[in-house]
């Protein structure tokens, strides 16, 4: 064989798989990235790099952000813990109870230890995700449950460090290596790939192959077929290389499609965003502070409850719903009372602005009369319950209008008034392949396909309809790590060197035995 393990892809899951394979005894590991080196990293580069994981005690965050109490006095007393039950409840709530129970339990159980592994083996540095998740109330920062830690320099830093770790661990990396098909032996086992690269068409042999090359969000034909007509012109938030190649070749080899093929992660983004993700913009086109304002469509109507939950649990669904509005366009409207609550990402584009609501509406491409009627009715319906508290589901709601606003329903009555035009940007698709707990790809005959593993966005069954922020990267790391270990075990005849994944005890997640926590990197000014 040419290699022990071949990994197809270049994002978080692929790099985790390659590093795990090396850690677990695979001597020759090859990572094949379709993109040129300057565009490497898949969707990971464009991410906010937040990892959602279980922790039962506040001090379990310290190993990732050792100076947190000095930087944010009172952090340990104020941060809400996030036990397994809370993670499972959040995931099942937003997916309507459809998340694959076996895979979701595995991901949740291993989330803390895998984050430790990212730090210890992946050599990643972490910080609190203050700009996205922290909410300032008075002189304190309030933190949500579960998704509060990200890698330094977000997706850019996450991707760069993964490639550095791969190189340091002896993983061979080839760029502009377009994998076209799987190579199988006479017994039906996957034993390599067929690739188009700088040497033309080539078959590269391996004892095991890991597919971690993303979904089909870049493919307009597949988007239209599986998601619907309105998705044909959707803007792609991330990589422009994810055409579903891995899914196609696996299914042609007999793999079982699994999960929600009609669903995807789609985010509210500024309407002027490019058709594909730009490396310099990363995730800065997101517009996720809508719970503190209202959204109207081009007909001048509110069309959804903006504040049924925190944006971390609605944004991946609302992006798709925005795309289904007339002209795939809505306007987010805020007044001066809530401007301090908007994410810093809003500053990357100029809003419409006026000292009156009428003056603002006149600048928008909406039905003017209907829009003013809508905003007047909203203001008259506001202010029931409360008081306003941006850090909790405060129950400050509307009455007598449809749709209602369940929380944070303040009147729009304090100038200046501002508005950003927003559309839906697709991030990744939910449909994937069925795998078992060893990340082996399962065939339509309900048996594992020998030599074939998958991880990342290609794993089917975890996400349906919606998605909790920070879970995609966590899934990629957990199943990438498992796939690498399993593939190394197959390649070495069962002699993988790495330790098995630890099971968290009932009271506290398993902690890895390591030296002192890695200090977080100093930010560049």
């Amino acid at each position: 064989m040419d290699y022990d393990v071949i990994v197809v892809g270049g994002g978080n899951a692929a790099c985790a798989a390659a590093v795990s394979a090396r850690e677990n005894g695979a001597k020759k590991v090859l990572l094949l990235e379709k993109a040129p080196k300057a565009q490497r990293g898949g969707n990971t580069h464009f991410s906010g790099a937040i990892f959602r994981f279980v922790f039962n005690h506040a001090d379990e965050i310290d190993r990732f952000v050792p100076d947190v109490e000095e930087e944010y006095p009172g952090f340990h007393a104020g941060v809400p813990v996030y036990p397994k039950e809370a993670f499972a409840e959040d995931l099942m709530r937003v997916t309507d109870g459809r998340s694959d129970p076996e895979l979701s339990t595995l991901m949740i159980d291993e989330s803390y230890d895998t984050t430790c592994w990212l730090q210890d083996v992946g050599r990643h540095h972490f910080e609190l995700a203050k700009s996205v998740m922290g909410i300032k109330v008075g002189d304190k920062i309030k933190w949500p449950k579960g998704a509060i830690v990200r890698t330094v320099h977000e997706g850019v830093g996450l991707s760069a460090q993964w490639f550095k770790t791969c190189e340091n661990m002896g993983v061979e990396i080839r760029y502009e290596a377009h994998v076209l098909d799987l190579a199988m032996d006479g017994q039906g086992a996957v034993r390599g790939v067929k690739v188009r690269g700088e040497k033309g068409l080539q078959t590269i042999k391996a004892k095991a192959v890991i597919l971690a090359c993303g979904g089909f969000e870049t493919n307009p034909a597949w988007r239209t077929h599986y998601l619907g007509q309105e998705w044909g012109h959707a803007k792609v938030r991330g990589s422009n290389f994810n055409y579903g190649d891995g899914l196609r070749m696996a299914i042609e080899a007999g793999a079982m499609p699994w999960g929600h093929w009609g669903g995807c992660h789609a985010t509210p983004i500024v309407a002027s965003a490019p058709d594909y993700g730009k490396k310099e913009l990363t995730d800065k086109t997101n517009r996720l502070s809508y719970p503190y304002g209202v959204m109207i469509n081009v007909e001048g109507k509110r069309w959804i409850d903006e504040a049924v939950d925190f944006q971390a649990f609605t944004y991946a669904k609302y992006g798709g719903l925005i795309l289904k509005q007339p002209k795939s366009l809505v306007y987010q409207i805020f007044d001066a009372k809530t401007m301090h609550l908007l994410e810093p990402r809003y500053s990357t584009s100029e809003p419409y602005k006026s000292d009156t609501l009428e003056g603002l509406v006149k600048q928008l491409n909406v039905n003017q009369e209907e829009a003013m009627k809508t905003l007047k009715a909203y203001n008259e319906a506001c202010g029931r319950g409360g008081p306003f508290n941006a850090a909790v589901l405060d129950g400050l709601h509307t009455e007598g209008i449809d749709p209602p606003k369940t929380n944070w329903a303040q009147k729009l009555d304090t100038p200046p008034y501002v508005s950003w035009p927003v559309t839906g940007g697709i991030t990744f698709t939910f449909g994937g392949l069925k795998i078992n707990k060893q990340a082996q790809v399962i065939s339509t005959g309900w048996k594992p396909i020998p030599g074939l593993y998958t991880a990342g966005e290609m794993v089917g069954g975890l996400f349906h309809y919606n998605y909790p922020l920070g879970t995609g990267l966590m899934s990629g790391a957990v199943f990438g790590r498992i796939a690498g270990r399993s593939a190394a075990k197959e390649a070495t005849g069962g002699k993988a060197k790495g330790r098995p994944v630890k099971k968290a005890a009932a009271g506290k997640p398993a902690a890895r035995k390591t030296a002192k926590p890695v200090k977080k990197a100093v930010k560049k000014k």
Side-chain angles (χ1 to χ4, degrees), residues 354-392:
S354 177
D355 287 332
T356 66
L357 271 178
E358 291 87 349
L360 181 70
V361 168
K362 285 179 180 178
Q363 300 176 60
L364 311 183
N365 182 23
V366 299
N367 182 315
Q368 308 282 305
E369 182 179 351
E370 191 66 36
M372 287 308 303
K373 188 187 301 183
T374 295
L375 295 177
K376 181 181 178 181
Y378 169 78
N379 276 346
E380 291 175 350
C382 280
R384 276 66 167 181
F388 179 83
N389 184 343
V392 299

Side-chain angles (χ1 to χ4, degrees), residues 22-39:
R22 286 287 295 127
E23 179 194 26
N24 284 279
K27 294 181 179 179
K28 296 186 67 178
V29 177
L30 173 65
L31 188 145
L32 298 173
E33 164 65 286
K34 183 177 18 173
K37 186 173 182 179
Q39 295 176 267

Side-chain angles (χ1 to χ4, degrees), residues 79 96-97 154 188 320 327-328 387 436 466 514 516 523:
V79 67
D96 288 353
E154 302 176 48
K327 297 185 179 181
S328 297
N436 61 18
N466 199 1
T514 62
K516 295 180 181 179
K523 286 187 176 180

Side-chain angles (χ1 to χ4, degrees), residues 508-523:
K508 188 172 183 177
R512 295 172 58 84
K513 294 180 181 180
T514 62
K516 295 180 181 179
V518 178
K519 288 281 185 179
K520 63 181 180 180
V522 178
K523 286 187 176 180

Side-chain angles (χ1 to χ4, degrees), residues 84-94 108:
K84 293 180 184 179
E85 295 78 13
F87 196 159
E89 195 279 328
D90 284 341
L91 181 59
M92 287 299 179
R93 183 180 76 255
V94 303
I108 292 167

